[in-house]
């Protein structure tokens, strides 16, 4: 039987936070987390934000789903599909400040 080595989740998050901060040490950086539905992106994004804070940097975590258009403006359909993102609002709230 072969023993597989796997780093602890916290170690992996710390290493990723260190790499992000190394490459983007000045100003604001945007990090997007993507993946198939139900793959744990929200929990991973929360944990990564915590690792960045632990490294001594501010982190703000937002979800694209917070910027969906209302139903009456082309939002989610009756079949429960996610609402299209309102790019103008996302830019105004997250990027421009």
């Amino acid at each position: 039987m072969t023993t597989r080595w796997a780093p602890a989740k916290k170690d992996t998050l710390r290493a990723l936070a260190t790499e992000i901060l190394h490459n983007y040490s000045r100003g604001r950086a945007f990090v997007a987390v993507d993946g198939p539905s139900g793959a744990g992106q929200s929990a991973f994004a929360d944990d990564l934000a915590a690792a960045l804070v632990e490294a001594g940097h501010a982190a703000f975590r937002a979800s694209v789903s917070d910027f969906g258009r209302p139903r009456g403006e082309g939002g989610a359909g009756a079949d429960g599909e996610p609402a299209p993102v309102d790019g103008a609002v996302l830019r105004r709230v997250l990027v421009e400040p």
Side-chain angles (χ1 to χ4, degrees), residues 27-53:
R28 296 172 72 188
F30 294 84
V31 178
V33 176
D34 192 14
S37 180
Q41 301 92 320
S42 294
F44 178 78
D46 291 339
D47 293 341
L48 181 57
L52 289 164
V53 170

Side-chain angles (χ1 to χ4, degrees), residues 71 74-84:
R71 278 188 194 273
D79 57 0
E81 289 186 22

Side-chain angles (χ1 to χ4, degrees), residues 3-97:
T3 303
R4 295 183 65 200
W5 176 83
K9 180 180 175 181
K10 195 164 196 164
D11 292 337
T12 301
L13 287 163
R14 284 180 181 156
L16 184 55
T18 299
E19 184 70 18
I20 291 167
L21 295 170
H22 171 76
N23 289 310
Y24 304 99
S25 59
R26 294 182 179 200
R28 296 172 72 188
F30 294 84
V31 178
V33 176
D34 192 14
S37 180
Q41 301 92 320
S42 294
F44 178 78
D46 291 339
D47 293 341
L48 181 57
L52 289 164
V53 170
E54 183 181 285
H57 293 268
F60 178 81
R61 195 231 181 269
S63 176
V64 171
S65 64
D66 295 336
F67 297 94
R69 292 188 178 138
R71 278 188 194 273
E73 298 175 20
D79 57 0
E81 289 186 22
V85 174
D86 189 333
V89 173
L90 186 138
R91 272 189 298 286
R92 188 177 72 243
V93 173
L94 291 180
V95 178
E96 291 174 3

